[in-house]
Amino acid sequence: MKVIGVLVSTKGSTNSFFAEISRNIESKLNLYVYKHPNDNIYLAIAYAPSPLDPGKSFRGMNNIEKSKIISIEKQLKKDESIIVALKERCEFYDLIESYNVFLSIPYVIEKGRRIFCVFGDQRNIDKYLENLEAYYGRNNITTKKTTLSECIRLNIGGYVSSYILSTLTKREKEILIKAFSLGYISHRRKTTLEDLSLEMGLAKPTTSIMVRKAVEKLVKKILENNNIQDNYN
């Protein structure tokens, strides 16, 4: 069997519990889903490297029953959020299983959009996409052929980047992106601190401190993660 891959982006269903959560959180929601071997029950673990306001995110969510959630456990911290849910089989997973395609996990939900990769033979992929369009609506779906390696990079890269960047404030992200795009943090600088400061509308000392602080926080986050891994080696 020749396996092909497709990258899919869908506008979240109004009945999707996790799509609703993703609309109220800054970072991407990374979703791991596992099927119970003896029942049509799924364990869904959603992780976001940013805080989640339970009042804002869960208030008025009347679609929990419609999204077939059985139980929910929340582990909310100042720098990360984990939601563990047991749920019944829903239309999204019903389509995956009915047409014998394979879903790559974790997949991402961002601002209500579900972004994921599926793999299978051409015939099953075509049938799956045809029925996915029927369920979500053709205008709510985009697809792109992909490879297994590209999908892995998407999954890992999206998770790692959101995890590392979560340590920065919005303003720190902006100044770091601008510093990079202008070539300020290149090994051969293409712009000056004064020009970067003018672009950001900040004083030169403030700009310098913010850039160094942002880089320091990123390196610290990376090294902390390496230390966690080293403890298990």
Side-chain angles (χ1 to χ4, degrees), residues 123-135:
R123 182 169 174 269
N124 287 336
I125 286 289
D126 289 344
K127 285 186 176 181
Y128 167 75
L129 293 177
E130 179 183 344
N131 284 273
L132 193 70
E133 286 184 358
Y135 177 69

Side-chain angles (χ1 to χ4, degrees), residues 7-10 107-110 113-117 154-155:
L7 172 63
V8 184
S9 174
T10 68
Y107 65 88
V108 170
I109 303 182
E110 183 177 20
R113 293 197 70 88
R114 199 187 308 248
I115 305 166
F116 58 96
C117 293
L154 171 73
N155 289 344

Side-chain angles (χ1 to χ4, degrees), residues 202-218:
L202 298 171
K204 285 172 60 177
T206 303
T207 302
S208 178
I209 290 171
M210 288 187 69
V211 170
R212 285 187 282 113
K213 186 177 180 180
V215 172
E216 179 185 11
K217 288 169 76 172
L218 289 180

